[in-house]
């Protein structure tokens, strides 16, 4: 009996230690190698933002001289990404006259948002009607920051002449016609909608993170790569969230606590590790909200695939690793990153 009990205890200890050892090995290997040149570069090419994400330094994108498709790719569910989305839209409107805003939503929701933006006084009930689609489309956006974002855009729009006000377009088309295949659907709708635009106008697109890649990964051609193939000048901004809590609704396939907030979705582990994330981690401090340029002169990110290649410790949950084209470099995929570090999750609807 003692031998049986000892065997059972030994097996229990081994079963307990195996996942601990497994995750410990991943946490040692996959954050990558410290590179002082990259750390110094990031420190020299960043814009630090306050909690409201207001962009006060007008030197951001100062070298842009041609009509550009600016595209922001958020990692859904993290705090401040929707707040930054609104502030970036406002900044692009002031600097480049951007007023055409393409969102990863359906035509029906875009129409409701345009109705909301046109109300006077503000009719918040029209805005709330769009939240029903979030649960099916991008459920991680179903939080109070979604409302804050659109109220912010509404208030800014009121300061503009009517002919210059921001208008919303749904990249997914109508709900009835949507058949999946997100990237090809979005490019088809963008091409259809943009026929009426002036070639001299810059626009802004807001999507999920992988859609901003300007080159293929895992055999997939992302939305931004389609845009670039159409001879557009594209500037991609990828979101990176380190040591942050994310809102992951129950039933989404991820292990989620009772309050639906988890730190496990951060890009520096323990489930996902972005390649050589250690250098961004060490460069920006914590907590922080930062924009970093990756493609300035003599950038070390013009070689290698830092922040693009992604390693998963639980591939059955995440769908596997992200394998980019080895002939490309980070700046072939995106040119800027929006980094959030050490933040709590977004406030949920009351």
């Amino acid at each position: 009996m003692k031998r049986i009990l000892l065997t059972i205890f030994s097996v229990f200890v081994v079963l307990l230690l195996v996942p601990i050892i497994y995750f410990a090995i991943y946490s040692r290997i996959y954050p990558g190698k410290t590179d002082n040149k990259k750390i110094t570069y990031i420190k020299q090419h960043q814009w630090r933002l306050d909690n409201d994400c207001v962009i006060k330094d007008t030197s951001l994108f100062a070298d842009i001289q041609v009509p550009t498709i600016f595209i922001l790719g958020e990692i859904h569910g993290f705090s401040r990404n929707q707040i930054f989305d609104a502030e970036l839209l406002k900044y692009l409107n002031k600097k480049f006259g951007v007023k055409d805003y393409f969102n990863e939503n359906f035509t029906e929701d875009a129409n409701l948002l345009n109705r909301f933006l046109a109300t006077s006084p503000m009719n918040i009930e029209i805005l709330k009607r769009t939240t029903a689609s979030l649960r099916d489309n991008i459920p991680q956006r179903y939080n109070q920051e979604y409302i804050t974002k659109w109220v912010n855009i509404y208030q800014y729009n009121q300061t503009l002449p009517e002919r210059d006000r921001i208008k919303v377009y749904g990249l997914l088309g109508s709900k009835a016609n949507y058949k999946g295949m997100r990237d090809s659907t979005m490019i088809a709708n963008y091409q259809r909608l943009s026929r009426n635009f002036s070639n001299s106008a810059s626009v802004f697109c807001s999507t999920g993170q992988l859609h901003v890649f300007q080159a293929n990964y895992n055999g997939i051609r992302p939305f931004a790569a389609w845009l670039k193939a159409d001879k557009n000048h594209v500037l991609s901004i990828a979101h990176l969230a380190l040591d942050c809590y994310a809102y992951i609704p129950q039933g989404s396939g991820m292990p989620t606590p009772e309050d639906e907030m988890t730190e496990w979705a951060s890009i520096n582990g323990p489930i996902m590790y972005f390649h050589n994330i250690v250098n961004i981690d060490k460069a920006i401090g914590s907590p922080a909200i930062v924009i970093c340029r990756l493609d300035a002169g003599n950038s070390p990110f013009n070689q290698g695939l830092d922040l693009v290649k992604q390693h998963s410790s639980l591939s059955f949950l995440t769908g596997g690793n992200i394998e980019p084209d080895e002939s490309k470099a980070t700046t072939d995929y995106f040119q800027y990153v929006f980094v959030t570090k050490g933040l709590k999750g977004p406030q949920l609807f009351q």
Side-chain angles (χ1 to χ4, degrees), residues 45-57:
H45 296 86
Q46 61 175 269
W47 292 261
R48 302 188 75 86
L49 307 178
D50 59 20
N51 199 49
D52 293 329
C53 297
V54 177
I55 305 169
K56 298 174 182 177
D57 188 339

Side-chain angles (χ1 to χ4, degrees), residues 124-176:
I124 200 75
E125 293 306 314
I126 296 176
L127 174 59
K128 289 180 178 179
R129 285 170 57 188
T130 67
T131 62
S133 289
L134 291 178
R135 288 191 180 276
D136 296 324
N137 183 25
I138 305 175
Q140 297 94 327
R141 283 182 176 175
Y142 188 80
N143 61 67
Q144 187 60 41
E145 288 191 5
Y146 174 83
I147 298 294
T148 302
K149 164 187 171 175
W150 284 106
V151 169
N152 188 351
I153 293 171
Y154 173 91
Q155 291 171 337
Y156 178 74
N157 235 16
Q158 294 301 301
T159 69
L160 301 174
E162 198 163 328
R163 67 180 181 280
D164 296 329
R165 290 183 179 175
I166 291 160
K167 185 174 181 181
V168 187
Y169 302 86
L171 284 170
L172 300 180
S174 68
K175 292 178 183 178

Side-chain angles (χ1 to χ4, degrees), residues 67-213:
T68 298
I69 300 174
F70 297 90
I71 175 168
L72 170 67
E74 68 176 30
I75 305 178
H76 303 311
F78 286 96
S79 179
R80 314 324 287 168
N81 53 29
Q82 294 191 74
I83 304 302
F84 175 69
D85 191 304
E87 291 301 329
L88 181 57
L89 175 59
K90 289 160 59 177
Y91 180 82
L92 294 175
N93 176 269
K94 292 172 184 175
K95 195 171 186 71
F96 300 103
V98 168
K99 59 182 180 179
D100 297 308
Y101 175 59
F102 292 82
N103 198 273
E104 191 181 351
N105 62 7
F106 294 104
T107 300
E108 293 87 342
D109 297 313
N111 290 342
L112 279 173
L113 289 168
N114 285 321
R115 281 183 58 194
F116 163 70
L117 293 176
T119 59
S120 184
M122 180 173 63
N123 187 338
I124 200 75
E125 293 306 314
I126 296 176
L127 174 59
K128 289 180 178 179
R129 285 170 57 188
T130 67
T131 62
S133 289
L134 291 178
R135 288 191 180 276
D136 296 324
N137 183 25
I138 305 175
Q140 297 94 327
R141 283 182 176 175
Y142 188 80
N143 61 67
Q144 187 60 41
E145 288 191 5
Y146 174 83
I147 298 294
T148 302
K149 164 187 171 175
W150 284 106
V151 169
N152 188 351
I153 293 171
Y154 173 91
Q155 291 171 337
Y156 178 74
N157 235 16
Q158 294 301 301
T159 69
L160 301 174
E162 198 163 328
R163 67 180 181 280
D164 296 329
R165 290 183 179 175
I166 291 160
K167 185 174 181 181
V168 187
Y169 302 86
L171 284 170
L172 300 180
S174 68
K175 292 178 183 178
N177 293 332
Y178 183 68
K179 301 294 189 296
M181 302 296 291
R182 212 112 165 146
D183 291 288
S184 57
T185 296
M186 290 197 294
I187 191 62
N189 284 302
Y190 179 85
Q191 289 170 335
R192 175 178 57 82
L193 291 165
S194 63
R195 290 185 191 127
N196 299 321
F197 297 167
S198 166
N199 291 331
S200 62
S202 292
V203 302
F204 178 41
C205 301
S206 175
T207 70
Q209 199 233 29
L210 294 178
H211 302 304
V212 308
F213 284 10

